[in-house]
Amino acid sequence: MARVLVGVKRVIDYAVKIRVKPDKSGVVTDGVKHSMNPFDEIAVEEAVRMKEKKIASEVIAVSCGPAQSQEVLRTALAMGVDKGIHVEVSGPEYETLQPIHVSKILAKIAQNEKIDVIIVGKQAIDDDCNQTAQMTAGVLDWPQGTFASKIEKGDKDITITREVDGGLEVIKCKLPAVLSADLRLNEPRYATLPNIMKAKKKPIQKLTPKDLGVDVSPRIKIISVEDPPTRQAGQIVPDVDNLISKLKEAGHC
Amino acid sequence: MSQRSRVVTLYKNLLHLGKEWPKGYDFFRSRLHNAFLKNKDESSPENIEKMIKHGEFVAKEIETLYMLKKYRTLKRRYYDEQVARKN
């Protein structure tokens, strides 16, 4: 039976309209609804299903971030994860926290907890990095199955169907391995009220990057964050001739 | 669990689901409250049982609705590049 580690990130809720701070240093996060990264929800669901199929013995969720990250750990626990690990990174350090740091933290925890399978969402919907799974596999020197849309576990190996450009790729790799969840892997369950209540009794372990011996000093400096260009207003033309002349003006024909 | 406490639990569960309602929690809460209030004089256990079943069905539908909404939004944002360009 495998021990499974899932990475969960607290991000601004997918339904919230993102606003950029006037000084272009980042986006407004104060008083904005946050929730678990949707791709991580898919990863959690897959891990919980592995446990329900008796493939996994224990499922552990990790989140790196400020104190509020515990909320997403609670959601993960309510979905059926056994134990949470909160790696506290806050303030300016969190703003420049990159997949390289997170992957080292995940790798360290995986070694400490004797993990066989790491599942993370393929990317977070806030920074869209899509690097954590790949880097974690690199740090640990484990095989990786990214963009998984189907996962089947055998005795000593695991078969992963991957979403690649224009089709599917099926790979088989040995355990331990790092996997990343694509959108079509499964349909995540909803954390119901009774389960949230029950999840309050489950343990959350608190750690700092220092405890794990990971250096989280910034690798990058954020120079500017800007809104995407807004769409130009359209124009109504009275007839076809007018339309053609307008198109010619704009150089379209 | 007694029938009464099952009704209360159902109400609480639905309220919890309503926190993410697209039109806002207040909108959802008032509608939900009215829906329960409408049947407050119901006394036949069979009818109440039917209503609880219906309420549980509605809760499942709301969960599915949220899941679909999220799935479609993500699909539009990350996968349907050509459709997005047409819009």
Side-chain angles (χ1 to χ4, degrees):
Chain A
M1 288 239 272
R3 288 168 63 79
V4 183
L5 184 74
V6 283
V8 291
K9 185 176 184 182
R10 174 177 178 264
V11 298
I12 295 179
D13 192 77
Y14 79 99
V16 170
K17 175 111 178 61
I18 304 291
R19 284 187 301 128
V20 174
K21 281 185 197 160
D23 64 357
K24 292 185 180 172
S25 66
V27 295
V28 179
T29 53
D30 293 338
V32 171
K33 189 184 170 210
H34 284 70
S35 52
M36 192 195 294
N37 174 33
F39 289 109
D40 293 344
E41 273 180 356
I42 297 170
V44 170
E45 174 68 30
E46 192 62 24
V48 172
R49 285 190 192 181
M50 282 169 95
K51 198 187 167 203
E52 285 166 351
K53 280 189 223 149
K54 309 264 186 244
I55 297 170
S57 55
E58 192 179 20
V59 181
I60 303 174
V62 186
S63 189
C64 306
Q68 298 98 311
S69 295
Q70 288 197 10
E71 292 161 20
V72 297
L73 281 176
R74 290 279 169 217
T75 315
L77 293 171
M79 285 169 80
V81 168
D82 300 300
K83 183 181 137 184
I85 298 179
H86 174 218
V87 181
E88 186 149 7
V89 183
S90 51
E93 268 183 344
Y94 182 61
E95 276 168 32
T96 53
L97 192 75
Q98 288 279 299
I100 183 81
H101 304 126
V102 177
S103 60
K104 284 178 187 165
I105 291 170
L106 287 180
K108 199 80 194 164
I109 292 173
Q111 284 168 338
N112 291 350
E113 299 279 346
K114 300 192 172 49
I115 294 298
D116 303 294
V117 183
I118 301 182
I119 312 177
V120 292
K122 66 161 188 161
Q123 68 190 62
I125 59 165
D126 53 356
D127 54 20
D128 285 336
C129 277
N130 188 347
Q131 297 165 353
T132 309
Q134 292 87 334
M135 284 185 176
T136 312
V139 173
L140 287 162
D141 200 17
W142 287 4
Q144 57 177 304
T146 47
F147 315 122
S149 64
K150 196 175 178 197
I151 298 172
E152 283 166 303
K153 194 180 166 293
D155 264 350
K156 281 269 170 219
D157 48 26
I158 196 160
T159 307
I160 303 130
T161 307
R162 303 182 58 230
E163 297 222 1
V164 291
D165 277 351
L168 297 170
E169 181 186 57
V170 183
I171 60 164
K172 198 178 208 179
C173 62
K174 289 206 174 83
L175 289 177
V178 182
L179 314 176
S180 79
D182 209 324
L183 187 61
R184 292 178 193 87
L185 181 59
N186 57 43
E187 298 86 38
R189 70 195 65 186
Y190 199 81
T192 56
L193 192 57
N195 286 343
I196 291 173
M197 292 304 173
K198 277 179 217 153
K200 287 188 176 161
K201 290 200 189 94
K202 291 184 181 175
I204 289 186
Q205 191 185 351
K206 262 187 147 184
L207 292 174
T208 62
K210 220 184 244 170
D211 296 337
L212 298 162
V214 176
D215 172 26
V216 287
S217 57
R219 299 289 188 98
I220 56 155
K221 196 174 131 195
I222 296 164
I223 295 170
S224 129
V225 175
E226 278 168 54
D227 274 315
T230 48
R231 191 170 163 273
Q232 299 278 307
Q235 216 174 32
I236 293 173
V237 288
D239 53 36
V240 177
D241 290 344
N242 226 311
L243 171 70
I244 292 169
S245 63
K246 286 267 190 231
L247 284 174
K248 274 185 181 156
E249 253 172 58
H252 287 301
C253 60
Chain B
M1 228 190 318
S2 73
Q3 207 166 32
R4 188 188 145 77
S5 61
R6 280 174 62 207
V7 172
V8 174
T9 312
L10 175 67
Y11 186 70
K12 280 186 182 165
N13 278 343
L14 284 163
L15 270 187
H16 171 70
L17 282 167
K19 283 177 195 157
E20 283 182 47
W21 193 252
K23 278 190 170 174
Y25 179 58
D26 293 333
F27 177 93
F28 186 91
R29 205 201 77 91
S30 62
R31 297 295 167 100
L32 181 67
H33 191 83
N34 286 342
F36 272 73
L37 204 63
K38 200 174 75 193
N39 298 318
K40 74 180 167 65
D41 296 324
E42 187 61 59
S43 56
S44 123
E46 289 95 60
N47 276 345
I48 295 176
E49 192 59 36
K50 255 187 222 158
M51 285 168 185
I52 294 175
K53 282 275 172 301
H54 178 69
E56 282 162 356
F57 167 76
V58 170
K60 269 269 162 271
E61 289 282 291
I62 295 173
E63 279 179 26
T64 314
L65 172 88
Y66 288 162
M67 199 204 80
L68 265 178
K69 188 168 169 259
K70 194 180 278 180
Y71 176 83
R72 285 188 179 143
T73 315
L74 286 175
K75 194 162 172 290
R76 201 168 55 238
R77 277 187 204 161
Y78 290 107
Y79 296 85
D80 296 349
E81 275 171 40
Q82 273 156 0
V83 179
R85 245 178 258 145
K86 264 184 219 160
N87 292 336

